[in-house]
Amino acid sequence: EILGIFSKFHKIPQSIKILFYFLSFSIKKRNEVNYNIEEKERLSNSLQSMGTTFIKLGQFLATRPDIIGEDLSKQLETLQDKLPPFSLSEAKNIIRKDLGDQMFNSIINMSEPVAAASIAQVHKAQINDDGVIKDVAIKILRPEIKKIFNEEIDALMLFAYLIESVIKKTKRLRLVEVTFLLKEITNHEMDLRFEAAAANEYAENTKNDVGFKVPNIYWNFTSENVMTLDWVEGNSIRETDILQKQNIDTKQIAKDIIQHFLRHAVRDGFFHADMHEGNLFVDNEGNIVPVDFGIMGRLDKYNKKYLAEILYGFIKRDYVKVAEVHFQAGLVPETASKEEFAQALRSVGEPIFGQNIKDISGGNLLSQLFEITEKFNMATQTQLLLLQKTMVVVEGVARKLYPDTNIWNVSKPILENWLESLKGPKATITSAIDTSGEILKRIPDLPDFMDKANHALQLIAEGKLNLTNTSNNSLEIEKLRLKSFRNNILISILGVVILSFVVF
């Protein structure tokens, strides 16, 4: 079913069809396909029926129009991360096992699940926190979810590796690296202590952001499989009619959502990477309250600077500047023509600026940038995937709240302030002080450092020093394991073929 829908958007190589054919053998009875529902709904239903890993994969691929195309990407946007809940008694057993009897007995009035997704579900409850009764949300991981997910994602990684081995052009897309990123992201989601720490860091970063409030984490009631945080009294941001009846300015909320997201990305380098409508609430005071901190994005100081300059360059329609930033960031090979790349950027930017102002989308702009990657042999920048996905989602949320939201006018002051902070006198002085401090700290080590440098240069001259990058050891080990497994599969298939000739 899935392969059939994919083939309508892309020509699938025969080798991949054959591989799917062998993988599709099953002793189970096949589910009947309902052709009366829309194709995108059939695709979503098929992926949901395959479980957690394929739901996450579908959501992830929806952010990658450069891999699967714009049409198929839009089909996958409808995929909902929902599964039937597990029982309240099972949830209580997990809490008791993880937190112990004392903490468990401090939880009262625990409800049936109020939300159930592929990885965890949420219950409303009350806790006795040092004699104070507080309303909380308790998030609990599904039983055995880590084992199930890792077994399935390993199979997917092998499949990605086989595709890269068979179709050489796909190496540019880094399918194994993308799958590895999905594995790392989702495994972080599956330890709720990491999510609690992310929420705590996010709260610290945003504590002075007016109109934005992150729920408090209760660490005594949090473990690997259980996370407890403040219950949000308010309404989902999707309930526009209710918000308007409460005299909440949805136009201002739409503006604030975009500005908060950009501020967190370029100021803090740490942003909520799953800001869909179901994860955003407006409380009774009118604050935007995010929930579900399992997927958070990070940008280092260089990527923050490049992101701000690229988006601001498009706002100013300075395509040469945007091209220069891409080359400085190493996003485009040095052998490519800067002038031709600027021309390609212009082909993306100008049609956007020809639209009505309310239709201009920064998220779509980032999506279209991916479309020119193949021509200039640009490798996938995995650290920017979550950012691009979230920006598209945030814009969609803002436009539903207020369709005439002017994306660029809203974004401009945040980007201008950030770039000014990088280039202003204060930033120059701070940078000089930091650099001087680092130099002064290292002066006592200078003689030893010079001896080591001299020894290293001697080893390089003699060809005894291996300078290969070891920062991605985990990924390289994974690739070696996949290569070995692939070779074993090929040997096994060859053995079956030879045996069939002998027998038949």
Side-chain angles (χ1 to χ4, degrees), residues 354-411:
Q355 298 176 24
N356 292 329
I357 197 74
K358 72 182 181 66
D359 297 324
I360 297 174
S361 167
N364 285 343
L365 185 148
L366 289 179
S367 296
Q368 289 179 56
L369 279 176
F370 279 122
E371 293 178 9
I372 63 174
T373 59
E374 185 169 10
K375 180 179 178 182
F376 291 91
N377 196 31
M378 292 168 62
T380 299
Q381 299 297 312
T382 52
Q383 72 273 24
L384 298 177
L385 291 180
L386 285 176
L387 178 89
Q388 185 245 336
K389 167 211 165 187
T390 311
M391 191 163 185
V392 172
V393 172
V394 166
E395 283 188 350
V397 171
R399 290 188 191 281
K400 285 181 181 177
L401 284 167
Y402 183 69
D404 291 328
T405 299
N406 185 328
I407 302 299
W408 293 117
N409 283 352
V410 169
S411 304

Side-chain angles (χ1 to χ4, degrees), residues 301 427-442:
K301 65 179 181 179
T428 304
I429 293 169
T430 301
S431 178
I433 291 172
D434 290 344
T435 303
S436 301
E438 285 298 314
I439 292 171
L440 290 171
K441 279 193 294 185
R442 294 180 185 278

